[in-house]
């Protein structure tokens, strides 16, 4: 009986050991699976982090590039406005000079025409006076002949 009992205990111990070994194997598989999943998740997170970082860096580079372009455009606009202001000033100066020259020319022409008209009026007045004297003299002659 003792040997049958021992055999049964040994048999049960073997079953327990097999079951424990099976449980340990399954636990090992679960641990391996968990480790594999953890590593997979870790790699995925690192890849995602790398991609996000690269995208952010690319967007930052693009933002810097756009900012530089904007600054160049602003400088160009300032240059253009400066040139426009300069040309506007030059144009105003030229217009003022032309206006002054035209006013002087206008005044000179008015003076010349007024002098000519005065000369013509004087000549006309002298001719009129002379004609008047001649007519008066002629009237006197005619009246002397009639009278």
């Amino acid at each position: 009986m003792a040997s049958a009992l021992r055999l049964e205990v040994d048999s049960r111990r073997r079953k327990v050991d097999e079951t424990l070994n099976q449980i340990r194997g399954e636990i090992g598989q679960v641990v391996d699976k968990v480790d594999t999943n953890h590593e997979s998740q870790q790699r995925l997170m690192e890849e995602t982090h790398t991609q996000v970082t690269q995208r952010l860096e690319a967007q930052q580079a693009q933002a810097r590039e756009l900012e530089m372009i904007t600054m160049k455009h602003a400088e160009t606009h300032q240059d253009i406005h400066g040139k426009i202001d300069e040309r506007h000033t030059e144009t105003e100066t030229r217009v003022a000079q032309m206006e002054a020259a035209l006013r002087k020319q206008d005044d000179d022409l008015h003076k010349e025409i007024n002098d000519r008209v005065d000369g013509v009026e004087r000549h006309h007045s002298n001719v009129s006076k002379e004609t008047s004297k001649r007519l008066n003299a002629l009237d006197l002659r005619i009246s002397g002949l009639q009278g």
Side-chain angles (χ1 to χ4, degrees):
M1 206 164 170
S3 66
L5 196 58
R6 235 182 225 184
L7 285 177
E8 193 175 324
V9 168
D10 283 343
S11 169
R12 285 187 180 182
R13 192 178 281 162
R14 269 188 239 121
K15 284 184 182 178
V16 168
D17 285 343
E18 286 175 9
T19 306
L20 285 176
N21 283 336
Q22 185 180 2
I23 290 173
R24 283 185 191 128
E26 289 176 0
I27 288 175
Q29 288 176 353
V30 168
V31 168
D32 288 344
K33 188 175 180 181
V34 167
D35 287 344
T36 305
N37 284 340
H38 176 57
E39 289 172 4
S40 174
Q41 290 292 326
Q42 190 67 28
R43 258 184 283 133
L44 179 66
M45 291 301 291
E46 287 175 1
E47 289 174 3
T48 305
H49 181 266
T50 304
Q51 289 175 355
V52 167
T53 303
Q54 288 174 349
R55 286 182 187 164
L56 287 175
E57 288 173 358
Q59 288 177 351
Q60 286 175 346
Q62 186 180 12
R64 283 190 296 271
E65 183 179 334
L66 289 174
E67 189 173 333
M68 288 174 51
I69 289 171
T70 303
M71 291 173 67
K72 285 181 184 177
H73 280 271
E75 290 173 4
T76 303
H77 282 279
Q78 287 176 348
D79 291 344
I80 289 171
H81 283 295
K83 288 178 182 177
I84 288 173
D85 291 342
E86 184 179 319
R87 298 294 185 239
H88 181 67
T89 304
E90 288 177 10
T91 304
E92 284 182 347
T93 303
R94 285 183 183 175
V95 167
Q97 289 173 348
M98 290 293 290
E99 186 178 359
L102 289 173
R103 286 192 188 279
K104 185 178 183 313
Q105 182 183 14
D106 190 40
D107 289 343
D108 291 346
L109 289 175
H110 278 280
K111 183 179 178 186
E112 182 182 345
I113 193 70
N114 284 337
D115 290 346
R116 283 185 180 182
V117 168
D118 287 344
V120 168
E121 284 178 350
R122 270 186 264 131
H123 176 70
H124 178 66
S125 174
N126 288 340
V127 169
S128 177
K129 284 181 187 177
E130 217 176 280
T131 305
S132 206
K133 284 181 186 177
R134 283 186 186 167
L135 285 177
N136 282 340
L138 187 63
D139 279 342
L140 286 175
R141 282 188 203 154
I142 290 178
S143 62
L145 288 174
Q146 285 179 0

